Amino acid sequence: MKPKSHNLLADGTSISDLIDIEMREVKLRTLSDQQLYDLEQQRIFGKTWLMLGHESEIPNEGDFVQRFMGEDSVIVSRHKGEIYVSLNVCPHRGMKITTHDAGNAKVHKCIYHGWAFRPNGQFLASPVADQCMHGTIRDKEDLGLQQARVTLYGGLIFATWNIDGPSFDEFLGDAKWYYDMLFCRSDKGMEVAGPPQRFIIRANWKAAGEQSAADGFHTLTLHRWLGEVGNYKKGEEEGEGGDLTPEMFGAEVSSPHGHALRCIDLGRKIRRLTGKNPDELSTEEKLKVLPPPGMNPEMVEQLKKNLSPEQLQVMAWMPPQVGGMFPNVLFGFVYIPQADGSVVGSMTLHTYVPKGPDKLEFTNWIFVEKDTPPELREKMVMQTIQLFGTSGMVEQDDSDTWPHMTLTAKGAQGRHSTLKYQAIYETDKPDGWPGPGIVNEGFTKDDTQWHWWLYWYELMTAEQ
């Protein structure tokens, strides 16, 4: 009897058959299959670096939050200045060590049999010490909580179960050059503006994840109201009706690891939002006239200390504004016009945490720079909640489409339909573009999302 291939599903379908590389199509079945979902927990969420939060959420000794790496609950805690990520499973009988979303504890004690652990996951003792209820078969050093590999990036907490796998920098690759412009640009860094918002969506996590890979085109239709109402409605270039098509032009950064960024022309925004001519402004003047989201003109000086001249060139030309990190992170650093003619920035990150083949937990963090003046901070938080929060207008649009995609993927006929990524760039990076990576200029295409699926394919079919 031949051994069963790790690449075959129960009905004999090969995972390799779910993606047609030549045609750039993905079977819709990928958004509903239980066995595929179970394999993703091992091959995607068990192998890649996952964002769990920000260090400003746990500033003090003993602070902790409960988060998820795939479907595995973990305790993210601070101990003696370091951050640890421990599997939230008691090694005694499998009970959760903590059931709280957040808190502070010098010792984490399992409510079932009382086994106790330090914030770094080290086993302390079991009750009734003279009876040695943890036994003598295993040394106490072997009874601690399983530890993930942890790294901090711009204050963001990332962890992986792939202890000997690629470093975080290797995982980001060339995309890091662009992410640094968002997360490592200021002197003091970012901080959270309160705990993250969360809600459940009846959809497969990949429906949201692949959109986070810089899908710009859906803005024209799904978010059409942005060009029809409020302060987005009318601009000199857009004309009556607020056509959003000009916002679809720019540069897009793809990654062999599925990361993606959309870089949108700042000059066009300067003309529309400030009335100034960007061709008459220097790099520094452009950044002060329309500071990056989350900054005011006084904070722009910090950019010169933390970024290279080449990065500053991109920041004043086509700065990254939306995109994602594989597998399940979306970021938005966007400019929001106000009724009085001013502009308020929004800094937000989402994760799409899998809770089953047809369920995900949407988690939304709102960020501000630590140097952000209180008045600007308040405006940023309010604007971000209204647009990108759990009840935000943009997220109401997005979270309506993903469940429908998941439902159609369950149909006997629908599951054989395909997701198509056939709008292909035929251009290279803009002339004079100083940044690395796979960069294409022009109207937004499908390349970034296709690279997201190619990395999913690579991980799902790799030899185990």
Side-chain angles (χ1 to χ4, degrees), residues 142-162:
D142 296 332
L143 297 176
L145 304 180
Q146 181 178 337
Q147 296 297 296
R149 183 180 171 195
V150 181
T151 193
L152 292 181
Y153 173 60
L156 298 170
I157 303 168
F158 286 84
T160 182
W161 297 118
N162 195 1

Side-chain angles (χ1 to χ4, degrees), residues 327-387:
N328 65 334
V329 175
L330 176 141
F331 67 84
F333 282 56
V334 299
Y335 303 84
I336 305 175
Q338 305 295 295
D340 62 2
S342 64
V343 180
V344 171
S346 172
M347 298 160 57
T348 184
L349 270 79
H350 307 330
T351 59
Y352 307 112
V353 182
K355 297 293 183 182
D358 59 357
K359 185 163 66 173
L360 66 87
E361 182 177 70
F362 175 105
T363 308
N364 175 53
W365 287 266
I366 299 172
F367 288 97
V368 294
E369 297 285 355
K370 290 179 181 177
D371 283 340
T372 302
E375 183 179 355
L376 176 57
R377 178 190 182 108
E378 183 177 348
K379 289 180 179 179
M380 287 178 63
V381 171
M382 183 60 66
Q383 291 285 273
T384 305
I385 290 174
Q386 291 174 345
L387 284 178

